[in-house]
Amino acid sequence: MEFTDVLFNRRSIRSFSDKPVDEKLLNDILTAAIESPSSSNTQPYKMAVATGATNKALGKALLDKYYTANKINSMPLPMKVVSAVTSGALPDGDFKPILGKYPGEFQERRVKTGHGLYEVLGIERHDRESRDEQMARNFTFFNAPVAIFFFIHPGMTHTALIDLGIFMQSLMLIATDKGLGTCAQGALGMWKSPIKKHFSLPKEYKLVCGMALGYPDDHKVNDYRPPKVSLDDLLITAKN
Ligand SMILES: Cc1cc2nc3c(=O)[nH]c(=O)nc-3n(C[C@H](O)[C@H](O)[C@H](O)COP(=O)(O)O)c2cc1C
């Protein structure tokens, strides 16, 4: 593909076929992403790649956490507190999610994107159950045969997050070029303990998020292409 075609063809894929990703191809994609730039070439990130039985076991463990947490969330307050502490389902990721609404225009964009996705899926705005089910699919990586978990070294502060973001974008573009689909997943940063069970995680590294990778299937959800803001919305006006 022409580079610009790759850029425009990439979109978040939320339904994957069972077709496995060849080990060499996966290795080639990850190796190519290492070409990404990073601050002073520090490359302050690491990744854990879950395929095969590990992928399935991790998906099940994360899904269990999600369902337990979700059940607790709908309990009355005193029970909620007790169950949250005893269930082991409290998020134990390294970065706390933003609770409640996003600030200002970001909440508007978030809501618009969410509504667009539910519309494509035929989910009514107030159908909490179906929305929760869609959320749940995150934890089994939308059926992708490859799940990647990303970590950064916190000593590199904000530069590590920038460097990881660039690495992830390279990975997504290379995968697109090879006919694969991806979805970056902040949801996979919620629970670290299940990942710890399957990988020898370096102590100092912090879990940021994850990514599903595999062959897109023909589910309508994969046609969703949320509109982006215009360049004018992003440009800061110069003073005269
Ligand atoms: C850091 C990051 C985290 C994301 N987390 C999730 C997620 O947890 N679940 C999900 O379905 N999509 C997730 N996405 C995908 C975004 O929703 C998506 O990129 C956005 O809606 C724009 O759509 P596009 O990727 O198709 O251009 C994430 C994207 C990024 C970059």
Side-chain angles (χ1 to χ4, degrees):
M1 265 193 258
E2 287 289 326
F3 176 74
T4 335
D5 293 336
V6 175
L7 193 69
F8 282 90
N9 273 321
R10 185 218 57 84
R11 59 179 179 273
S12 291
I13 294 302
R14 296 186 179 87
S15 187
F16 292 86
S17 83
D18 290 330
K19 185 178 169 181
V21 178
D22 174 74
E23 210 174 300
K24 184 181 175 305
L25 175 61
L26 178 58
N27 204 54
D28 286 351
I29 291 171
L30 288 164
T31 306
I34 297 174
E35 288 307 308
S36 302
S38 66
S39 316
S40 301
N41 204 23
T42 46
Q43 300 161 88
Y45 33 69
K46 284 190 182 287
M47 57 236 59
V49 182
T51 58
T54 308
N55 175 299
K56 293 288 170 231
L58 252 173
K60 191 186 170 310
L62 288 168
L63 190 63
D64 281 352
K65 293 267 187 209
Y66 170 73
Y67 280 137
T68 309
N70 215 19
K71 213 162 107 190
I72 293 170
N73 216 15
S74 56
M75 287 177 178
L77 197 59
M79 249 172 97
K80 197 175 184 163
V81 175
V82 177
S83 306
V85 176
T86 56
S87 67
L90 272 181
D92 57 9
D94 292 314
F95 292 92
K96 301 297 160 234
I98 302 174
L99 294 173
K101 287 185 174 179
Y102 287 1
E105 62 196 354
F106 308 120
Q107 179 66 12
E108 279 165 40
R109 291 178 194 165
R110 173 200 212 181
V111 168
K112 209 168 135 191
T113 303
H115 285 166
L117 180 68
Y118 298 136
E119 205 177 305
V120 169
L121 287 166
I123 298 174
E124 298 287 334
R125 261 176 213 206
H126 300 292
D127 183 354
R128 182 75 199 266
E129 207 175 306
S130 303
R131 286 168 59 156
D132 286 353
E133 271 312 300
Q134 178 56 28
M135 183 63 193
R137 287 190 190 105
N138 271 281
F139 299 103
T140 47
F141 329 118
F142 306 112
N143 196 42
V146 182
I148 309 174
F149 298 88
F150 297 98
F151 301 78
I152 55 155
H153 195 292
M156 291 305 294
T157 67
H158 65 289
T159 68
L161 285 168
I162 297 169
D163 297 340
L164 175 63
I166 295 172
F167 180 89
M168 288 173 67
Q169 171 72 339
S170 296
L171 188 55
M172 292 191 279
L173 294 178
I174 299 155
T176 305
D177 190 45
K178 303 280 183 201
L180 289 151
T182 57
C183 186
Q185 293 185 265
L188 299 184
M190 279 177 82
W191 288 285
K192 193 177 185 180
S193 46
I195 309 166
K196 246 186 193 164
K197 268 195 189 157
H198 292 271
F199 293 92
S200 309
L201 301 181
K203 216 169 142 215
E204 64 280 17
Y205 275 72
K206 304 286 181 207
L207 171 67
V208 179
C209 62
M211 187 185 289
L213 186 146
Y215 291 94
D217 68 12
D218 56 9
H219 194 286
K220 59 188 172 187
V221 73
N222 291 337
D223 295 333
Y224 181 45
R225 178 142 208 161
K228 308 289 177 177
V229 297
S230 71
L231 179 58
D232 277 348
D233 284 331
L234 299 179
L235 285 180
I236 297 170
T237 26
K239 286 180 180 172
N240 292 327

